[in-house]
Amino acid sequence: MTDQASMTDQPPITDQTVLELVGDIGGTNARFALTREGDVHLHAIEVLPCGEYDNLDSAIKAYMQKVGIERVKDVCLAVAGPVPSSKDPHAQFRMTNNHWRFGLQAIREQFGLRSFKLINDFTAMALGVPNVGQDQLVHVCGGPGDESRAKLVIGPGTGLGVSGLVPIQDGWVPLMTEGGHVDFAPTDETEITILQILKARFGRVSVERILCGQGLLNLYQAHAEIQGVSAPLDAPEKITTAAIKENDPLARHTLRHFCEILGRTAGNAALTVGSVGGVYLCGGILPRFLDFFVESPFREAFEDKGRMRPLMESTPVYMVMEPYTGLLGAAEALRNREVS
């Protein structure tokens, strides 16, 4: 891992002939930063609310004006959802969780870019992980693992992101997946009932219906229905706050179950990918309740894989606390020939 301070705490760039723009675009906010050609150090990080801009181009213009630059040579943006091929001149992209829609070639021409890459947000998260400093990683369980083997990157946010890193001779190949949409697999009678409740609402139930912000609310409401009690909390952040303060038994039970299901899901994905190089938990939700998470059933659920338990116990799991991992990954993607 690289020294974190050197990656995100940089002086302003004065030479605008080598500027590259990277972005991490979510449903609510667009994070932008500058890099110099040839490295992944981040400069001039800004967070812009997506709702204040008509489309991507107006947000980029606002960012460039804010940081005082006139042009950039290359752009790489991390976005939520499956991305079209950059080789398709007519490729269009529509954001999953906000109103932006744009053409890749149109953006390239509008800003006079040498290159414009669009990558999945969790592909960027995966590429950013090797550039996160040790001081931004919290060891949750397991170890020591094998640094030369594949890594899993997974985490709940607006959705459930799943990616991975496969080692090659001089770097990593990121896995572009939609692993959050695998089936939710109940393991006991309570979870079978939860599946039935959610199936009545949504039809097919993916694990993302539980392991994301809205999913936490879905799980809370399902547990309330099972217990025959009211579910007054109407937002995931309210549930986590109530659980952490220990003044709401339903919220606490729900959040513990959320962590348990995440443990099983991460363990399943780790076995599938063969990620004994480490499991990295990312996203905006988990760092908000780190202490609760460490004491939750996550570890037992992650390791409870029958004959594979020794393998799971030796696999290190880390919580990634770095808030700009996606930006670091977008910067890395500009230099990674395996990311087209």
Side-chain angles (χ1 to χ4, degrees):
M1 299 291 179
T2 309
D3 175 24
Q4 183 61 18
S6 68
M7 305 302 289
T8 59
D9 186 16
Q10 294 292 303
I13 297 178
T14 56
D15 181 3
Q16 296 195 14
T17 65
V18 295
L19 291 185
E20 298 171 328
L21 174 67
V22 294
D24 184 5
I25 316 297
T28 304
N29 294 313
R31 297 170 177 84
F32 292 111
L34 298 175
T35 66
R36 289 189 179 93
E37 187 174 1
D39 71 38
V40 296
H41 298 80
L42 302 179
H43 308 255
I45 298 172
E46 296 286 345
V47 181
L48 305 182
C50 296
E52 294 184 6
Y53 302 93
D54 293 335
N55 213 331
L56 172 66
D57 57 343
S58 60
I60 291 177
K61 289 176 184 177
Y63 170 77
M64 293 173 66
Q65 183 177 17
K66 187 177 182 68
V67 300
I69 61 170
E70 297 179 358
R71 68 179 303 270
V72 292
K73 296 179 67 175
D74 305 292
V75 170
C76 181
L77 302 180
V79 292
V83 300
S85 170
S86 60
K87 298 177 182 178
D88 179 1
H90 305 294
Q92 297 279 325
F93 183 79
R94 184 170 187 171
M95 293 292 300
T96 302
N97 298 306
N98 73 37
H99 62 283
W100 290 0
R101 183 173 185 175
F102 53 88
L104 276 63
Q105 184 62 28
I107 293 292
R108 185 181 292 113
E109 293 176 354
Q110 181 176 354
F111 290 95
L113 302 175
R114 179 175 60 181
S115 68
F116 177 38
K117 282 186 176 182
L118 205 63
I119 63 174
N120 176 267
D121 58 343
F122 245 75
T123 301
M125 197 72 77
L127 284 170
V129 159
N131 294 306
V132 172
Q134 290 290 341
D135 63 328
Q136 294 295 310
L137 296 175
V138 175
H139 182 252
V140 174
C141 60
D146 183 347
E147 274 290 323
S148 67
R149 298 283 298 277
K151 303 177 188 296
L152 173 71
V153 181
I154 184 170
T158 304
L160 176 65
V162 182
S163 185
L165 293 169
V166 178
I168 55 177
Q169 185 172 2
D170 58 350
W172 301 91
V173 177
L175 300 179
M176 303 178 194
T177 89
E178 289 296 332
H181 296 280
V182 301
D183 295 323
F184 169 55
T187 60
D188 59 26
E189 292 300 322
T190 297
E191 290 186 355
I192 290 173
T193 304
I194 290 170
L195 174 62
Q196 292 169 340
I197 291 170
L198 297 184
K199 186 176 178 62
R201 290 178 58 185
F202 301 113
R204 177 182 179 269
V205 181
S206 70
V207 73
E208 186 177 77
R209 291 294 189 185
I210 293 172
L211 297 180
C212 67
Q214 178 60 42
L216 178 60
L217 184 59
N218 294 339
L219 186 62
Y220 171 78
Q221 292 168 344
H223 273 298
E225 183 173 336
I226 291 170
Q227 295 179 24
V229 299
S230 63
L233 304 178
D234 59 1
E237 58 270 20
K238 294 180 181 179
I239 297 170
T240 56
T241 297
I244 293 167
K245 290 182 178 180
E246 301 186 37
N247 60 356
D248 187 326
L250 176 61
R252 186 170 180 82
H253 178 68
T254 299
L255 192 59
R256 284 179 58 82
H257 196 195
F258 180 93
C259 296
E260 179 183 351
I261 295 171
L262 178 59
R264 287 205 306 273
T265 303
N268 290 342
L271 286 175
T272 301
V273 175
S275 54
V276 294
V279 173
Y280 294 81
L281 304 171
C282 297
I285 293 179
L286 301 181
R288 299 174 188 171
F289 53 91
L290 175 61
D291 292 340
F292 183 100
F293 180 84
V294 171
E295 296 175 357
S296 78
F298 172 89
R299 177 175 184 170
E300 174 55 30
F302 178 80
E303 295 176 348
D304 186 19
K305 299 300 180 187
R307 290 170 290 175
M308 292 294 103
R309 177 179 283 274
L311 180 66
M312 306 308 290
E313 290 175 342
S314 70
T315 299
V317 179
Y318 303 97
M319 179 88 74
V320 179
M321 306 300 289
E322 167 57 53
Y324 300 117
T325 307
L327 286 177
L328 290 170
E332 181 65 36
L334 284 170
R335 274 148 285 282
N336 190 316
R337 289 175 294 179
E338 303 297 329
V339 182
S340 60

